[in-house]
Amino acid sequence: MSNSFVELNDVKLRYSEGDDLALETTNMKIDKGEFIAVVGPSGCGKSSLLKLVSGLMPPSEGSVIVDGKEVAGPLKIVGMAFQNPTLLPWRTTLDNVLLPMEIVKPHRHRLRKYRAEYEERARKLLATVGLEGHEDKYPWELSGGMQQRASLCRSLIHEPELLMLDEPFGALDAFTREELWDILQNLWMIKPFTVILVTHDLREAAYLADTIYVMSKRPGKILVERENTLVRPRDQETTFTQPFTDLVHELRSHIRDVRES
Amino acid sequence: MKKKLNLRKATPWLSAIGLFVLWELVVRIFNIPPYVLPTPSESIIVGWQFHEAIWMHAYHTLYTTLAGFAIAVVFGVVLGALVGSSRAIYDAANPLLVGFNSVPKVALVPVLVMWFGIGTVPAIITAFLISFFPIVVNVATGLATLEPELRDVLRSLGATRRDILIKVGFPRAMPYFFASLKVAITLAFVGSVISETVASNVGVGYLMLSASSKFNMPLVFAGLLVIAVMGIAMYEIFNVIERRSTKWANRGNPTN
């Protein structure tokens, strides 16, 4: 047995029988508590990778193993956030963040009795992302960046072992985006969980990830696996250092090769 | 600001009064005989003369309509939930529903009369048959248009189909549901009046039919006005319920 938390073994994916491959033979090993990023041109199957790992989509060939078990259906330990915050408009921010607690076991059976504790936990989490005082507002009363913060809280409230992020900061302005990078990094450093971040922002990948995977265009295939050893915590200054810009340049040249191939 | 608001509130009344004034003028100027088109004033006067009979018939029509409508709501929600939450049921039920909705309901009244005799029962059933379709379609649409990302978020938390339906599906379908109620209640009136006209001894539909057979056109129009008033009142009631219960869907909408 290897000690990696997530393993993809010769995984191939077709959306339906007879289709062309969406994902070409893919192998990955992600350690527990590792933060990885997947970058690549759009339509390369990055999002499909997330669905494979979370069990929302079965691989056409090969196997996906999470926590020592082969994935056969949706995992129940996953937190997810997308570019679109997908908050429920009829719930307040606090109730939106508490949604996973109404579903995930064992919390769903404890929620009624320990409501106050859970609310306290949600409020604390909201405070760490800078949403203190907005708990009772409805999503439409929040800005796009605030909604995305709430969405991030919703994906973390049940302390998932595995966090899937599909371009979560893609629609935000540059300042908000970089602020959220810091918030995410802090949360992760306090109590590490395994993160798979899909993004097309190379600086984002270089800022956040321990390992960066570069994917080819369709059919998607992992071309490069790049360790990122920049010291944590990384901050604004890091982004202006030579090693950081070198890393971004290197990633950029890989992507260029992919696009021209 | 306040003045503007008052004007907006008065607009529907002004347009209604304007229509009646125009109608009155057209009939008088062109000297249209009352057995073709009576004036609104005459219709209202005749309506008042017969107000006891009209009240009895209108009450009966309202009761019939609401009974049919209530059945339509229950049936429509159940069927809409089934159709909206399962692709297989949708595929199976959709052609049947569309086909059934295309059949003119007036053509079914004779069949219903054969089964249930004339009177209240066929009227209730006609009201039900004509009004459940929009409820089914809207509830199903509300459930089926759930964002795929949101479904993924919930499924990866271990949510069952039932969880997704209760936590997200139904609340999300509420605005669609209430919008359909406004359409359904007015259709239910159409259904019950059709059936009363064809096969009943009671109800506004019957009253109008018997009035027209006596060439009492003002009374026919009084009946039409009563139906219109009941329809508007019911529509408005469901409009208010909709706005109260799904405030989140109408955020920042100036019509509220």
Side-chain angles (χ1 to χ4, degrees):
Chain A
M1 275 309 285
S2 62
N3 55 0
S4 45
F5 185 60
V6 177
E7 253 187 74
L8 271 68
N9 299 320
D10 295 326
V11 166
K12 290 184 191 177
L13 178 72
R14 284 183 183 82
Y15 290 124
S16 55
E17 202 76 25
D19 266 15
D20 289 339
L21 280 176
L23 210 58
E24 182 67 78
T25 320
T26 301
N27 285 288
M28 270 176 123
K29 276 188 176 26
I30 306 167
D31 289 336
K32 200 169 181 100
E34 191 181 359
F35 198 133
I36 72 133
V38 181
V39 297
S42 46
C44 71
K46 297 187 299 259
S47 303
S48 303
L49 204 63
L50 290 190
K51 291 198 173 183
L52 283 171
V53 174
S54 54
L56 293 169
M57 218 187 239
S60 308
E61 281 173 48
S63 64
V64 180
I65 291 164
V66 176
D67 203 11
K69 283 188 276 295
E70 180 154 357
V71 175
L75 297 175
K76 296 175 181 178
I77 50 156
V78 181
M80 275 192 162
F82 299 89
Q83 179 169 345
N84 175 356
T86 61
L87 299 174
L88 306 178
W90 57 90
R91 285 175 172 236
T92 61
T93 306
L94 188 69
D95 286 338
N96 263 297
V97 172
L98 283 171
L99 178 69
M101 297 314 213
E102 297 170 20
I103 292 166
V104 174
K105 287 173 192 162
H107 303 296
R108 62 185 298 163
H109 304 299
R110 302 173 36 132
L111 184 62
R112 203 183 292 263
K113 201 167 164 194
Y114 300 99
R115 178 103 197 159
E117 279 171 41
Y118 282 106
E119 277 189 12
E120 190 49 41
R121 186 159 147 191
R123 279 176 201 279
K124 264 193 193 141
L125 188 57
L126 282 165
T128 58
V129 302
L131 281 180
E132 206 163 10
H134 299 286
E135 293 91 345
D136 299 321
K137 289 192 178 162
Y138 286 89
W140 75 84
E141 298 173 294
L142 304 177
S143 69
M146 288 156 90
Q147 290 185 27
Q148 199 51 267
R149 283 163 213 245
S151 170
L152 199 60
C153 289
R154 184 181 64 186
S155 67
L156 288 170
I157 184 74
H158 56 297
E159 299 185 338
E161 293 176 74
L162 193 53
L163 179 66
M164 306 275 189
L165 299 172
D166 193 347
E167 302 191 8
F169 313 125
L172 304 177
D173 66 272
F175 301 112
T176 309
R177 190 183 312 148
E178 295 187 6
E179 195 192 331
L180 283 172
W181 292 352
D182 283 333
I183 287 169
L184 179 60
Q185 180 179 238
N186 282 338
L187 288 168
W188 177 80
M189 285 182 75
I190 294 167
K191 194 175 179 188
F193 38 89
T194 311
V195 188
I196 303 180
L197 166 71
V198 161
T199 180
H200 52 228
D201 182 345
L202 303 177
R203 292 180 68 244
E204 184 169 295
Y207 196 96
L208 288 169
D210 297 321
T211 313
I212 301 160
Y213 293 84
V214 179
M215 281 183 77
S216 70
K217 60 185 174 188
R218 209 171 160 172
K221 186 178 177 141
I222 290 168
L223 295 178
V224 181
E225 181 182 339
R226 173 69 159 81
E227 295 281 319
N228 178 4
T229 51
L230 292 172
V231 188
R232 288 188 194 268
R234 299 165 190 161
D235 56 22
Q236 277 307 300
E237 283 311 309
T238 314
T239 65
F240 300 112
T241 60
Q242 197 61 41
F244 185 89
T245 39
D246 285 348
L247 177 58
V248 174
H249 270 142
E250 188 193 321
L251 293 172
R252 187 73 190 88
S253 66
H254 288 311
I255 296 281
R256 195 175 304 121
D257 295 344
V258 169
R259 287 170 63 94
E260 282 165 7
S261 65
Chain B
M1 200 54 215
K2 182 124 198 194
K3 215 170 184 181
K4 239 182 178 170
L5 207 71
N6 283 338
L7 188 67
R8 276 204 45 210
K9 278 193 174 158
T11 313
W13 296 100
L14 291 176
S15 64
I17 292 167
L19 178 70
F20 282 116
V21 170
L22 187 72
W23 175 2
E24 185 88 29
L25 287 176
V26 166
V27 173
R28 284 177 191 268
I29 289 168
F30 296 100
N31 222 350
I32 300 172
Y35 58 84
V36 176
L37 182 65
T39 60
S41 57
E42 203 183 348
S43 303
I44 290 166
I45 290 164
V46 172
W48 180 249
Q49 280 168 0
F50 289 90
H51 73 271
E52 274 175 23
I54 289 182
W55 173 249
M56 190 272 284
H57 288 293
Y59 177 78
H60 193 267
T61 299
L62 185 65
Y63 157 77
T64 312
T65 304
L66 288 179
F69 174 72
I71 301 170
V73 170
V74 174
F75 183 80
V77 167
V78 172
L79 190 59
L82 289 173
V83 170
S85 53
S86 157
R87 188 79 219 172
I89 299 177
Y90 174 87
D91 289 339
N94 198 40
L96 293 180
L97 280 170
V98 172
F100 182 78
N101 193 50
S102 311
V103 174
K105 300 303 169 296
V106 65
L108 292 177
V109 176
V111 180
L112 295 173
V113 170
M114 290 296 289
W115 291 346
F116 302 105
I118 66 162
T120 310
V121 178
I124 290 176
I125 296 176
T126 312
F128 154 64
L129 290 176
I130 206 168
S131 63
F132 83 87
F133 188 73
I135 302 177
V136 173
V137 171
N138 273 33
V139 171
T141 307
L143 291 175
T145 52
L146 180 64
E147 296 95 328
E149 288 100 343
L150 194 53
R151 191 188 302 272
D152 285 350
V153 167
L154 293 163
R155 283 180 63 207
S156 60
L157 293 169
T160 59
R161 278 171 86 106
R162 200 168 139 257
D163 286 336
I164 296 177
L165 210 58
I166 291 172
K167 298 287 177 200
V168 184
F170 282 126
R172 216 180 152 282
M174 284 315 255
Y176 294 85
F177 170 65
F178 282 112
S180 76
L181 290 189
K182 295 190 289 188
V183 181
I185 187 69
T186 42
L187 284 176
F189 271 109
V190 174
S192 57
V193 173
I194 282 176
S195 181
E196 285 167 1
T197 310
V198 179
S200 184
N201 297 322
V202 68
V204 179
Y206 165 75
L207 173 79
M208 281 158 49
L209 190 77
S210 71
S212 74
S213 68
K214 291 169 196 141
F215 295 100
N216 188 351
M217 282 304 264
L219 186 54
V220 174
F221 274 82
L224 284 174
L225 288 177
V226 167
I227 294 169
V229 168
M230 288 196 294
I232 292 171
M234 285 296 145
Y235 183 96
E236 204 39 54
I237 286 172
F238 285 104
N239 203 15
V240 170
I241 296 175
E242 176 187 8
R243 285 206 308 248
R244 295 247 162 120
S245 53
T246 56
K247 270 205 181 94
W248 58 269
N250 296 310
R251 57 191 183 249
N253 186 337
T255 57
N256 292 304

